[in-house]
């Protein structure tokens, strides 16, 4: 059995990014390293038509060439509705919707571990550190709350001011 390595998972990410950029549908990654002696990962994608499949393949080839990885083999029969790109540790299968359901590779490899594509691109989670919770404030009884409130000044009546004005006029 071949050992998994970080280069393989980086190659899976590269393939998934390239396929997503060209709007591949139903992108799935299967870890088949325990079931296969040929490859570690299967990348499965769906295209909308034969021209879309070709566009996905071309984008994938460009990305692989730029990363300096080598394509071991490729099966691209014209208008077959299924393209296969073999990058040794990673095999990419691109189907039309009809052929994807017809051949059902997910069922064939049902013992494989599926890797979530969004999780592939998620930043690594930092080690969980527990921060102590702040203590809850103690409840203050209503009677104590009333005592703490400052007393409002009593409203001054207008009567003394009026008397003062009258006395001043005399």
């Amino acid at each position: 059995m071949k050992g998994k390595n970080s280069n393989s998972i980086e190659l899976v990410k590269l393939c998934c990014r390239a396929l997503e950029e060209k709007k591949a549908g139903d992108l799935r990654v299967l870890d088949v390293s325990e079931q296969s002696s040929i490859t570690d990962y299967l990348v499965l994608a769906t295209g909308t038509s034969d021209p879309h499949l070709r566009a996905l393949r071309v984008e994938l080839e460009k990305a692989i060439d730029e990363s300096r990885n080598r394509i071991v083999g490729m099966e691209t029969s014209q208008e077959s509705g299924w393209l296969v790109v073999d990058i040794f540790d990673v095999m990419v299968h691109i189907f039309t919707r009809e052929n994807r359901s017809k051949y059902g590779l997910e069922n064939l490899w049902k013992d494989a571990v599926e890797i979530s594509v969004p999780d592939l691109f998620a930043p690594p989670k930092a080690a969980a550190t527990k921060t102590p919770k702040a203590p809850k404030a103690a409840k203050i009884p209503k009677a104590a709350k009333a005592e703490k409130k400052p007393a409002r000044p009593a409203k001054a009546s207008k009567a003394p001011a009026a008397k003062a004005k009258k006395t001043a006029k005399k």
Side-chain angles (χ1 to χ4, degrees), residues 161-170:
K163 281 184 184 177
K165 286 183 184 176
K166 286 182 183 178
T167 338
K169 287 184 181 178
K170 290 184 183 177

Side-chain angles (χ1 to χ4, degrees), residues 107-133:
N107 295 329
L108 181 64
W109 294 99
K110 65 183 173 203
D111 294 336
V113 176
E114 184 165 357
I115 298 172
S116 163
V117 174
D119 287 352
L120 278 174
F121 299 116
K125 292 180 181 176
T129 56
K130 288 191 174 184
T131 54
K133 289 183 179 180

Side-chain angles (χ1 to χ4, degrees), residues 86-160:
D86 182 356
I87 322 160
F88 191 64
D89 289 339
V90 180
M91 282 254 208
V92 181
H93 295 265
I94 309 170
F95 301 90
T96 57
R97 184 171 277 103
E98 300 79 30
N99 283 332
R100 175 103 178 237
S101 61
K102 177 179 175 182
Y103 293 108
L105 288 189
E106 292 92 340
N107 295 329
L108 181 64
W109 294 99
K110 65 183 173 203
D111 294 336
V113 176
E114 184 165 357
I115 298 172
S116 163
V117 174
D119 287 352
L120 278 174
F121 299 116
K125 292 180 181 176
T129 56
K130 288 191 174 184
T131 54
K133 289 183 179 180
K136 289 185 177 180
K139 290 188 177 182
I140 302 172
K142 288 183 181 181
K145 283 184 184 178
E147 290 172 12
K148 289 187 176 185
K149 288 184 182 177
R152 290 186 182 169
K155 291 187 180 178
S157 81
K158 294 182 183 177

Side-chain angles (χ1 to χ4, degrees), residues 21-84:
E21 284 178 16
K22 285 293 182 184
K23 310 290 186 220
D26 196 14
L27 195 56
R28 295 180 69 187
V29 176
L30 302 177
D31 179 344
V32 294
S33 59
E34 296 295 319
Q35 293 80 21
S36 172
S37 61
I38 314 171
T39 193
D40 287 338
Y41 298 97
L42 295 178
V43 177
L44 309 174
T46 303
T48 56
S49 62
D50 284 321
H52 188 210
L53 294 184
R54 283 191 297 280
L56 291 168
R57 178 189 50 83
V58 168
E59 188 68 24
L60 186 61
E61 281 182 87
K62 279 196 260 183
I64 293 166
D65 288 344
E66 289 172 5
S67 71
R68 306 228 188 269
N69 282 291
R70 190 170 73 90
I71 295 174
V72 178
M74 195 175 323
E75 179 59 46
T76 59
S77 299
Q78 286 291 11
E79 312 215 0
S80 70
W82 183 3
L83 306 174
V84 181

Side-chain angles (χ1 to χ4, degrees), residues 4-22:
K4 293 186 237 181
N5 61 47
S6 63
N7 290 338
S8 297
I9 203 70
E10 289 305 314
L11 188 54
V12 167
K13 289 179 186 179
L14 174 92
C15 293
C16 289
R17 244 185 239 109
L19 293 168
E20 278 188 335
E21 284 178 16
K22 285 293 182 184

